[in-house]
């Protein structure tokens, strides 16, 4: 049982809020589906990021905005990944990330994990993922969370969604992580333990 507090993590750079329409859409859908709300929290009026610098804006909300904070952004260094099987449900972006924390604690010898659910690859604990097959970038059709950067890149036709198994990993030459903060980041190595 999740607490009903939801989270949007939004990139703000030099006072500009990035990719806001996708965050607004997810906020509206989450509130409507989970809380039955009909009104809209207008994020463009509520977020006032610092004028200089790169920040991770965390908006915690339910029926109302509960808290907004601006944290200087420090990217996580990721050099090693492992596929880990889990039944974790994160179909909404909850503020409570305990399930992810536990999975990372159990896999301290790698920097990040790719969560396998029902035999299919989904996401890492911090991002959606994509794999390059030599021609196109593919992203799991059933991610744990429908991320905003993933949605944008699918809309733009840059990504193709398909089911991906860990057995299929040798057929890919590159892996990329994507989220609101890092955008689309290709890892310069392909060190994935299965």
């Amino acid at each position: 049982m999740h607490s009903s507090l939801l989270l949007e993590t939004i990139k703000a750079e030099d006072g500009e809020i990035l990719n806001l329409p996708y965050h607004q859409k997810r906020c509206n859908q989450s509130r409507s589906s989970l809380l039955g709300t009909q009104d809209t929290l207008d994020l463009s009026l509520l977020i006032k990021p610092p004028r200089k610098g790169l920040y991770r804006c965390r908006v915690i909300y339910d029926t109302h905005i509960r808290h907004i904070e601006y944290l200087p952004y420090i990217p996580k260094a990721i050099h090693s990944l492992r596929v880990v099987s889990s039944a974790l449900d994160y179909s909404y972006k909850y503020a409570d990330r305990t399930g992810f924390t536990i999975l990372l604690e159990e896999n301290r010898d790698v920097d990040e994990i790719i969560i396998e659910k029902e035999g299919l690859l989904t996401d890492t604990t911090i991002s959606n993922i994509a794999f390059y097959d030599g021609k196109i970038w593919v992203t799991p059709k059933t991610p744990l969370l429908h991320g905003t950067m993933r949605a944008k890149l699918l809309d733009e036709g840059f990504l193709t969604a398909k089911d991906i198994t860990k057995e299929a990993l040798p057929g890919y030459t590159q892996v990329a992580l994507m989220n609101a903060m890092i955008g689309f980041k290709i890892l310069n190595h392909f060190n994935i333990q299965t």
Side-chain angles (χ1 to χ4, degrees):
M1 173 71 188
H2 282 282
S3 79
S4 59
L5 282 178
L6 292 155
L7 169 69
E8 282 298 319
T9 303
I10 304 171
K11 184 176 184 176
E13 191 163 12
D14 295 337
E16 185 187 350
I17 307 161
L18 290 116
N19 216 14
L20 190 59
Y22 287 91
H23 291 285
Q24 186 68 63
K25 183 178 177 185
R26 183 168 63 190
C27 175
N28 295 349
Q29 287 174 339
S30 297
R31 291 174 74 247
S32 174
S33 299
L34 291 171
L35 308 168
T37 58
Q38 302 304 316
D39 65 319
T40 298
L41 298 173
D42 189 339
L43 298 177
S44 67
L45 299 177
L46 299 163
I47 299 171
K48 305 287 182 218
R51 290 263 166 244
K52 288 272 173 249
L54 177 60
Y55 288 87
R56 183 164 57 104
C57 169
R58 294 181 84 242
V59 180
I60 296 174
Y61 67 98
D62 48 21
T63 51
H64 298 84
I65 296 286
R66 299 300 172 189
H67 186 65
I68 299 178
E69 61 184 345
Y70 306 96
L71 305 166
Y73 180 60
I74 298 142
K76 178 178 178 177
I78 297 173
H79 301 290
S80 55
L81 293 156
R82 174 180 293 137
V83 176
V84 174
S85 189
S86 172
L88 188 70
D89 176 29
Y90 197 68
S91 46
Y92 294 95
K93 192 170 172 75
Y94 291 103
D96 178 2
R97 294 177 46 83
T98 307
F100 291 124
T101 305
I102 291 166
L103 287 174
L104 284 172
E105 285 288 317
E106 292 170 349
N107 292 277
R108 284 186 178 183
D109 57 323
V110 290
D111 299 322
E112 187 52 77
I113 58 171
I114 297 173
I115 297 159
E116 178 188 42
K117 188 172 179 180
E118 295 169 7
L120 297 172
L121 301 186
T122 60
D123 294 331
T124 74
T125 68
I126 59 161
S127 68
N128 293 126
I129 52 174
F131 298 96
Y132 189 64
D133 68 2
K135 294 188 187 74
I136 58 168
W137 282 98
V138 295
T139 189
K141 195 187 287 183
T142 49
L144 287 182
L145 180 72
H146 289 271
T148 55
M149 183 55 63
R150 178 184 178 276
K152 180 175 188 276
L153 294 174
L154 280 167
D155 285 351
E156 291 173 354
F158 179 77
L159 290 176
T160 300
K162 71 180 257 189
D163 288 336
I164 304 169
T165 63
K166 69 180 177 186
E167 289 76 21
L169 285 177
Y172 297 102
T173 57
Q174 288 180 295
V175 60
L177 308 183
M178 63 193 131
N179 66 26
M181 292 306 301
I182 61 177
F184 186 84
K185 181 179 173 47
I186 299 170
L187 301 184
N188 295 322
H189 45 78
F190 202 78
N191 178 9
I192 300 176
Q193 300 171 24
T194 54

